[in-house]
């Protein structure tokens, strides 16, 4: 198995552990479900502030590029772009370190997500 196979995100779930855009509820963090086939990434997410979100993009080695859109619990629709780095953890799980921007905003935010064991 090569490194590219080890970083495959198909059927992996992640929870947000930190974000510069908002506080993360440790008892109900946003959870992401990833699918991957042939370097194409897609999935959905829900959690503390998000009713439902979807994303689609690509993975090249340890880099992910995504476009996302979600509905917030306050009724607002939000979309944007992100770029993530996949980092293997010592216990075999993966961590995603993501830089993202909301559409119409030039501020870059950073979030960290950890794979659910």
């Amino acid at each position: 198995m090569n490194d590219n196979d080890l970083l495959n995100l198909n059927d992996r779930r992640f929870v947000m552990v930190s974000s510069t855009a908002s506080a993360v509820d440790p008892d109900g963090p946003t959870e992401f479900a990833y699918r991957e086939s042939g370097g194409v990434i897609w999935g959905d997410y829900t959690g503390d502030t998000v009713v439902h979100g979807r994303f689609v993009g690509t993975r090249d080695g340890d880099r992910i590029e995504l476009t996302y859109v979600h509905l917030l619990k306050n009724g607002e629709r939000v979309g944007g772009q992100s770029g993530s780095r996949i980092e293997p953890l010592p216990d075999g799980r993966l961590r995603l370190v993501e830089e993202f921007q909301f559409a119409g905003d030039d501020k870059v935010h950073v979030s960290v997500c950890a794979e659910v064991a």
Side-chain angles (χ1 to χ4, degrees):
M1 185 176 287
N2 64 36
D3 286 345
N4 206 36
D5 293 335
L6 295 174
L7 300 180
N8 189 296
L9 299 175
N10 195 47
D11 289 332
R12 293 185 188 245
R13 292 182 309 121
F14 293 81
V15 292
M16 186 173 290
V17 295
S18 68
S19 176
T20 60
S22 63
V24 176
D25 179 355
D27 296 324
T30 300
E31 185 171 323
F32 301 81
Y34 278 77
R35 301 282 298 166
E36 178 178 351
S37 179
V40 177
I41 302 281
W42 70 95
D44 54 66
Y45 54 102
T46 188
D48 50 359
T49 61
V50 176
V51 174
H52 188 78
R54 299 246 179 195
F55 58 87
V56 64
T58 57
R59 179 175 69 84
D60 183 11
D62 68 348
R63 296 289 308 164
I64 304 168
E65 298 295 328
L66 298 174
T67 299
Y68 62 88
V69 63
H70 57 255
L71 178 65
L72 294 170
K73 291 188 176 174
N74 68 8
E76 184 180 358
R77 292 181 314 269
V78 179
Q81 309 250 348
S82 69
S84 299
R85 181 179 67 251
I86 305 170
E87 298 179 342
L89 295 171
D91 63 5
R93 294 179 304 131
L94 298 176
R95 174 175 47 211
L96 304 177
V97 179
E98 174 184 64
E99 291 186 350
F100 64 98
Q101 281 183 278
F102 297 112
D105 185 0
D106 61 358
K107 182 170 171 86
V108 176
H109 299 279
V110 177
S111 68
V112 176
C113 294
E115 185 176 6
V116 176

